[in-house]
Amino acid sequence: MDPALILIQTLNAAQYGLLLFLVASGLTLIFGVMGVINLAHGSFYMMGAYLAFSLSALTGNLLLTILIGVALSVALGAVLEWALVSHLYRRNHLQQVLLTYGLILVFDDLRSMLVGDEVYSVPVPAWLDFSVPLGDVMTYPAYRLFMSAVCLLIAVGLYLLIQRTLVGARIRAGASNRDMVQLLGININLLYRLVFALGVGLAAFAGMINAPASTVSPGMGTQVLIVSFVVVIVGGIGSVWGALLASLLIAFADTFGKVFIPDYAGISIYVVMAAILLWRPEGLFKA
C-alpha cells in the first residue's frame, strides 16, 4: 500500500480519536465523578454542531462562533444540573437513564422545530481552506490538522486541570468520597455543577469544531454516543487518561478496519472492546 495513503489514514485516525476523546472525556467525568449515566451526552454534541451552523451564519467567524457556543453550552449545562440532574445523585441508575433519555427526546424535538430535519454544512474558515501536500499527488486538508492540534491542546489542558489544580484535586476527591469532601467544607453541589457544565462544554465544543469537517445532521448525536460509551468502558470508567488512550485505539481500529477489512469494519471496535475487557475487565485504567 502507498505510504502516503497510510499516512493519510493515520492522520484521519488521530484526528478522529482526539475528537472522540473530547466527547468521551466529558462522559467519563460525569459518570466517574457524579455517578450519573448521561444518555443525553450525544445530544450536547449535536447541539454544538447546530450551534456552529446557526451562529456562523450570524457572526461569519468560526472562532467567535465557538467562543459564544461554548459559553452558551456551559451555561446550559449548569442550569440542567441545577434544575434536573442534581436530584438524581442519591437515586438509582434507572431514574438517571429515564431522565437523560427524556432529554434526548426534548433536544431532538427542539432541533426539529428550530432548524428542521435537513442536513447542513458549515464553511471552513478562509485562512484554513487549503490542503497540505503529502507526496507527489496526495494532499490533506489543513483544517483537519488544525482540529487535531486544538483537540490535543484541550487534552493537555484537561490533564493540567484535573491533576495540577486545586479544583482538579477537589474533583478527584469528590469522585472518591462525596461525604468526606462535604465534611471538609467543600461545596460538593457547586463542584458537581462545574463538572457537569465542563462535560457539556466539551461535547458541544467537539460538535462545533467538527462541523466544518463533516455535516450537521439529525441523528449525529446517537452515533457518537454509542462510540463514546465504548471508549469509556474500554478506557476505564472515570479515567481521563484511559479515555484518551481508548479513543485513539478505537479510532485506529475503526479507520484502518474500513481500509483493510471493509466488510467487517462495523464490528471492529466491538471486537477490540471485547478483547480488552477479557484481558482487563475494569478497562485500561482505573480512575
Side-chain angles (χ1 to χ4, degrees):
M1 184 175 289
D2 188 353
L5 181 59
I6 293 292
L7 177 59
I8 286 176
Q9 296 303 329
T10 300
L11 291 173
N12 284 337
Q15 179 257 309
Y16 176 41
L18 290 169
L19 182 76
L20 188 58
F21 166 73
L22 293 186
V23 184
S25 60
L27 187 63
T28 198
L29 275 176
I30 289 172
F31 185 72
V33 175
M34 302 165 61
V36 173
I37 299 176
N38 182 22
L39 293 185
H41 203 68
S43 295
F44 300 134
Y45 172 82
M46 178 191 70
M47 177 187 70
Y50 276 95
L51 279 174
F53 164 71
S54 302
L55 293 175
S56 62
L58 297 175
T59 65
N61 185 308
L62 183 63
L63 295 181
L64 180 59
T65 291
I66 289 176
L67 288 175
I68 297 173
V70 168
L72 291 174
S73 301
V74 169
L76 175 64
V79 171
L80 287 175
E81 192 281 338
W82 168 76
L84 299 174
V85 180
S86 62
H87 303 289
L88 298 177
Y89 300 139
R90 300 293 186 180
R91 302 189 183 186
N92 60 50
H93 290 318
L94 177 59
Q95 294 182 55
Q96 298 171 4
V97 167
L98 290 174
L99 174 63
T100 54
Y101 180 72
L103 287 176
I104 294 177
L105 302 180
V106 170
F107 278 113
D108 277 346
D109 283 345
L110 286 174
R111 184 261 313 149
S112 181
M113 289 187 296
L114 294 175
V115 294
D117 298 321
E118 293 80 12
V119 176
Y120 301 103
S121 62
V122 177
V124 174
W127 56 282
L128 286 172
D129 195 10
F130 65 94
S131 296
V132 177
L134 296 177
D136 296 330
V137 295
M138 292 188 177
T139 60
Y140 195 78
Y143 183 77
R144 288 186 175 272
L145 295 175
F146 169 76
M147 283 178 59
S148 297
V150 171
C151 291
L152 191 58
L153 286 175
I154 296 295
V156 172
L158 190 60
Y159 166 77
L160 293 176
L161 173 67
I162 299 298
Q163 299 293 332
R164 304 295 184 185
T165 67
L166 179 60
V167 173
R170 290 178 174 180
I171 289 173
R172 286 182 279 118
S176 300
N177 194 321
R178 171 190 171 101
D179 294 330
M180 181 60 71
V181 169
Q182 285 182 303
L183 290 174
L184 292 174
I186 297 172
N187 189 337
I188 193 68
N189 294 323
L190 177 59
L191 188 68
Y192 280 11
R193 194 161 301 147
L194 291 174
V195 170
F196 192 83
L198 175 62
V200 172
L202 286 170
F205 175 80
M208 284 185 280
I209 199 171
N210 190 48
S214 60
T215 57
V216 180
S217 61
M220 61 186 301
T222 303
Q223 298 169 6
V224 77
L225 177 68
I226 295 171
V227 182
S228 295
F229 268 114
V230 172
V231 168
V232 170
I233 293 169
V234 170
I237 295 173
S239 172
V240 175
W241 273 119
L244 177 59
L245 180 58
S247 295
L248 292 171
L249 185 62
I250 293 299
F252 273 85
D254 183 56
T255 301
F256 281 94
K258 291 175 181 176
V259 174
F260 293 109
I261 48 171
D263 293 339
Y264 303 98
I267 64 171
S268 59
I269 62 174
Y270 304 107
V271 171
V272 170
M273 179 181 70
I276 290 176
L277 292 181
L278 285 173
W279 169 51
R280 292 180 65 87
E282 72 278 9
L284 295 174
F285 291 92
K286 292 183 179 180

